[in-house]
Amino acid sequence: MSVAVRAPHPLLLGCGLMLVAFNLRPALTTVGPLLAAIRAETGLGAAGASVLTTLPVLFLGLACALAPAVGRRLGPDRGILLAAAIVAVGLALRALGGLVPLFAGACIASLGIGLAGVLIPGLVKREFPGRAGLMTGLYTMTLCLGAAAGAGLTVPLQGLFGGDWSLALAAWAAPAVLAALAWAPLARPASPAAPAPAPRRAIWREPLAWQVTGFMGLQSSLAYILFGWVPLVLHDRGLSTVDAGFVAALMSVGQAPAALLVPTVAAKLRDQRGAALAIVGLTAACYLAVAHGPVALLVPATLALGFGLGGCFGLGLTIIVLRARDTRGAAALSAMAQGVGYTIASLGPLGFGLAHEVFGGWGASSLLFCALAAGAAACALGAGRARQVGAA
């Protein structure tokens, strides 16, 4: 005889979810501020640095493909617990020093990040059906604050550890362990298998699903380009390593209010196309100001760039929830949009770095960035329509 497991209080569940969210970006934003130091110490070239910023995004896509099976086996609650533990292991591995642990740790941590990224939207749909926009906004805002902490505090941590970049990167395993410990008592086991729903047209054949996937992938590509490369862009503009890291952190700080505001507002709109076009346009314009505009405008332009990125990401997650008909549909669409989307996104950091190496300067890289932004806007014209995947 099965015993019903009492659901945690929504406030406790929400707080636990925020702790997990805080740890889903430091693995990706801590390398950029130290990239110059890593390259100087290890001899890593521009092509190698491009691979270092690309591999984690590929592993995000791999994790997203595996996430539905993990969710069915463990349930979303325990799947998220597993994801937090994997993130902690990947971050801790960097303490061994050298390029192999650096690359391996980035890939392992990204597996956990991708797994959590797919499972969380379905859990939000299940636990907070009437407040999906607000909870998605809070989750995304907290995720952005974690990104900001990683970008801004890693260089000072390097100083505390006597200039050892590997220990500075590995220190971010500590909050990931705390998040896993906090989530563990909230993680309920998987529910008994429910009867299979009536067969529906495969999600992979639906144009709307591909439009959602395209928007998610291309806006993610913009974010991972900036996570990996903007500190080096700023360093080439004359900023010190510390200053470049703090300005990059401002970008992540700027994401937080947009990550809360945009999903909350977008969830109340019947059609999200206008919001998507505005936020993508803001992101492209502010990137050009940061990379090529007057140095005096760096701080406000970087904050506005962060606002654009936070809005894009929050809107991408919100569109996944809004375009799905139910919890099962949200999980399936999330797996597709993030699994395929992150594979698309991985090409952005790679292309951005290779364009810099081949052509010199950042002009060709900036053209690529703007082209990706235009692609995201085009996908948003379909993904933002008031329709749902699987609807007749």
Side-chain angles (χ1 to χ4, degrees):
M1 182 177 68
S2 62
V3 178
V5 180
R6 185 178 179 182
H9 190 280
L11 181 60
L12 286 177
L13 198 65
C15 290
L17 198 61
M18 298 310 118
L19 285 173
V20 173
F22 182 85
N23 290 280
L24 298 184
R25 282 300 177 270
L28 305 173
T29 62
T30 50
V31 172
L34 297 180
L35 193 55
I38 293 170
R39 292 180 63 184
E41 182 178 319
T42 64
L44 185 69
S50 298
V51 173
L52 178 60
T53 58
T54 299
L55 269 180
V57 190
L58 283 173
F59 273 75
L60 285 173
L62 174 61
C64 292
L66 298 174
V70 173
R72 287 191 298 270
R73 177 86 178 187
L74 300 178
D77 308 66
R78 292 189 174 178
I80 291 170
L81 175 60
L82 174 64
I86 292 173
V87 171
V89 170
L91 289 168
L93 187 61
R94 294 168 162 183
L96 297 177
L99 288 178
V100 172
L102 175 64
F103 276 76
C107 294
I108 291 171
S110 297
L111 285 174
I113 293 168
L115 183 60
V118 170
L119 296 175
I120 286 174
L123 187 140
V124 168
K125 188 86 172 178
R126 184 192 77 194
E127 298 291 340
F128 307 97
R131 293 169 287 183
L134 175 61
M135 289 306 299
T136 300
L138 288 171
Y139 156 69
T140 312
M141 181 186 72
T142 307
L143 186 147
C144 294
L145 292 175
L153 299 179
T154 302
V155 173
L157 281 174
Q158 182 189 20
L160 289 177
F161 289 114
D164 190 325
W165 55 263
S166 61
L167 291 180
L169 293 174
W172 292 97
V177 170
L178 290 175
L181 292 174
W183 183 256
L186 303 175
R188 289 176 284 169
S191 302
R200 295 188 312 185
R201 187 157 54 112
I203 191 173
W204 295 85
R205 295 187 218 162
E206 298 212 29
L208 178 57
W210 281 105
Q211 290 158 352
V212 172
T213 297
F215 179 71
M216 189 69 188
L218 291 171
Q219 67 82 22
S220 294
S221 188
L222 302 180
Y224 292 119
I225 285 172
L226 296 176
F227 289 158
W229 288 103
V230 81
L232 198 57
V233 172
L234 295 171
H235 189 264
D236 284 356
R237 299 204 65 187
L239 275 68
S240 69
T241 303
V242 174
D243 288 342
F246 275 117
V247 173
L250 286 178
M251 179 180 68
S252 296
V253 169
Q255 292 181 58
L260 177 61
L261 178 64
V262 172
T264 304
V265 173
K268 297 178 180 179
L269 299 175
R270 185 174 181 275
D271 186 303
Q272 291 78 38
R273 285 177 289 183
L277 293 178
I279 208 73
V280 171
L282 175 68
T283 301
C286 291
Y287 163 75
L288 293 175
V290 168
H292 305 287
V295 175
L297 295 179
L298 268 181
V299 170
T302 304
L303 284 169
L305 175 59
F307 189 92
L309 282 179
C312 284
F313 182 61
L315 186 59
L317 292 179
T318 304
I319 283 176
I320 290 174
V321 175
L322 294 178
R323 299 291 88 88
R325 299 177 67 186
D326 50 30
T327 300
R328 189 186 297 270
L333 184 57
S334 179
M336 177 182 175
Q338 297 191 66
V340 177
Y342 284 135
T343 303
I344 296 170
S346 68
L347 301 177
L350 179 64
F352 193 88
L354 292 179
H356 172 59
E357 182 177 24
V358 171
F359 295 101
W362 298 102
S365 300
S366 296
L367 285 175
L368 174 62
F369 187 94
C370 292
L372 293 172
C379 290
L381 292 176
R385 292 175 298 165
R387 296 177 58 191
Q388 289 185 316
V389 172

